[in-house]
Amino acid sequence: MKRIGIDVGGTNTDAVLIDGDKITASIKVPTTQDVMSGVKSALAHVAAHIGDTPRPLDAVMIGTTHFTNAVVERARLERVAAIRIALPTGASLPPMCDWPEDLYRAVDPMIFMVHGGHEYDGSPLVQMREDEIREAAMKIRDAGVTSVAISATFSPLTTECEDRAAEIVRSIIPEARITLSNSLGRIGLLERENVALLNASLQSLGRTTVQAFKTALAEIGLDAPFFLTQNDGTVALADVAAANPVFSFASGPTNSMRGAAFLTGLDDAMVVDVGGTTSDIGCLIGGFPREANNIVHIGGVRTLFRMPDLLPIALGGGTVVDPETGAIGPRSVGYRILHEARVFGGQTLTTSDIAVAAGMIEMGDPSLVRDLDPTFVHDTLARMRAMVAENFDQMKTSAEDVPLIAVGGGAFLIPDEVPGASEVLRVENAGVANALGAAMAQVSGEVDQVFSDMSREQALAAAETEARAAAVAAGADAGSLKVLEVEDIPIAYLPGGARRVRVRVIGDISFG
């Protein structure tokens, strides 16, 4: 199978062309301010090698930071309407009550709280007031808002209120793009609602980003199915992924982790992905990133949904070092490293300059950092090692030593010995592990919800059926699907033998 994988990072855009298990071509180019010209440059380079082998191109997989950056930068976000079905409860904590003020202003929400929802046992809280939803929908329509997030208390137990509310909103605003909180998040109203609202605010950006990538592929003459990478290390058809941009928030680090597993052949290990701005430390279990099972903050917003368990630290190839104190980060020159780092003739001292001065790597003009005091260089390297060691230990879940795989363009910053690591592995093509992880990704489907009034076997079977359907909708070949994870937890405080079931299936891309 021949595929192109691309990963757009804050500093570099990486691309690879793979044919089966072989890397045919690869390139790393600086990420451009407009993003797309860098993507086109990387695409053009690897596309030129497609004819090196007779097989046609099967697919293009792209991982992008567009959506995360939009939230962090408070830019390119769409005005949203929030409909919460929970009254008479929850009135003291309205939607978005815990959002950072600048992000709240950027989204400029219309907020409606209506009667309805369910109790923790699945019984109605109060009767849902459909007239209140109609009234809210008419106000949303009159304001010209088309992106709507709907949440209801305990909707993962029963989606009845959210489903009915969506029907009412669509009857009044046919063009509405509706995000239901039960399709994204877990138990916990505020966190689930926050995910739905973030997703709603990114709807326009999702469509325009996918269209921009399609245009870039067409301009280069590539005619192949196009996929976006997801938070769990898999991919989904671009048009499907565009409807849920939040599932692509952490796709960059997860691509790198999947690439690290491919390059080393290890399915269980720790991975540190060193980019230009940050390093992400994560854990591989069975060849996939360990999933976070607690609160994850996105741009200052509390969320709880399908995200990898990652620890970002302010250590990257472009991280700024204070020449007076030796303090490292958190600022980075990012994609401007080729102009601002001292080894490239700039005036800003970066971690890459320190590495060049220490003889750890060759880049730029080493003579431009010969004036650095050797003691200062030594002490700065010691601080870097301490940062890595402390955060690596924080992410470990075992007292035993485990292998650590160093990937990413800044992997040279990771020392050869790290306390708690049985070995530090460096492999060929580690600098483009993220693009490689994208290129060899599979398609997954996941269900995480509460089932009741059925046996354990029936609940597991129902969850697996839904997970398989989700995978096929995302572009998987139904015949290749296999169950990757099954988790079920009885919920003693709920009636009807309720249990939370999480099933994840994975399969190859369908070209049918």
Side-chain angles (χ1 to χ4, degrees), residues 156 180-187 191-192 195 304-305 448:
L180 302 182
S181 75
N182 71 78
S183 67
L184 300 175
R186 299 170 180 165
I187 295 289
E191 292 80 12
R192 187 174 70 252
V195 177
L304 182 58
F305 71 119
D448 184 350

Side-chain angles (χ1 to χ4, degrees), residues 68-311:
T68 315
N69 291 348
V71 176
V72 172
E73 296 167 8
R74 285 39 173 160
R76 304 179 299 284
L77 299 173
E78 184 175 0
R79 191 181 187 197
V80 302
I83 298 177
R84 180 196 286 176
I85 309 165
L87 290 179
T89 65
S92 61
L93 293 172
M96 302 175 71
C97 61
D98 58 346
W99 283 40
E101 188 178 342
D102 56 347
L103 183 56
Y104 186 97
R105 286 197 308 268
V107 173
D108 187 22
M110 298 180 72
I111 292 176
F112 302 91
M113 292 190 284
V114 303
H115 287 81
H118 288 83
E119 296 273 16
Y120 68 89
D121 62 356
S123 63
L125 181 65
V126 294
Q127 189 69 28
M128 189 172 78
R129 295 275 299 274
E130 294 191 2
D131 58 319
E132 292 179 348
I133 295 170
R134 285 193 187 88
E135 184 180 345
M138 287 188 281
K139 290 179 179 177
I140 295 167
R141 177 196 62 195
D142 295 343
V145 175
T146 57
S147 194
V148 183
I150 299 175
S151 57
T153 52
F154 290 102
S155 61
L157 273 70
T158 171
T159 65
E160 180 185 331
C161 285
E162 290 189 8
D163 292 341
R164 178 59 187 144
E167 289 176 11
I168 295 170
V169 171
R170 282 199 183 93
S171 70
I172 294 169
I173 316 171
E175 70 277 18
R177 283 158 291 125
I178 300 172
T179 299
L180 302 182
S181 75
N182 71 78
S183 67
L184 300 175
R186 299 170 180 165
I187 295 289
L189 177 62
L190 291 179
E191 292 80 12
R192 187 174 70 252
E193 182 176 65
N194 284 343
V195 177
L197 285 161
L198 283 173
N199 197 71
S201 72
L202 292 164
Q203 289 294 297
S204 289
L205 183 62
R207 288 203 322 275
T208 56
T209 299
V210 166
Q211 188 54 52
F213 282 130
K214 284 181 178 177
T215 302
L217 293 171
E219 288 178 3
I220 293 167
L222 297 177
D223 181 20
F226 159 39
F227 295 78
L228 284 183
T229 59
Q230 306 276 278
N231 295 334
D232 60 359
T234 62
V235 293
L237 281 166
D239 290 328
V240 174
N244 292 313
V246 293
F247 283 152
S248 294
F249 273 162
S251 62
T254 55
N255 288 343
S256 295
M257 294 180 72
R258 290 281 287 144
F262 177 82
L263 288 168
T264 60
L266 293 177
D267 285 338
D268 299 288
M270 299 291 289
V271 178
V272 56
D273 173 26
V274 190
T277 304
T278 60
S279 294
D280 291 291
I281 302 175
C283 181
L284 278 172
I285 298 176
F288 286 86
R290 182 174 69 203
E291 191 167 306
N293 206 22
N294 52 12
I295 300 297
V296 177
H297 286 84
I298 309 291
V301 177
R302 286 166 55 92
T303 67
L304 182 58
F305 71 119
R306 191 173 82 206
M307 284 285 284
D309 188 10
L310 296 171
L311 180 62

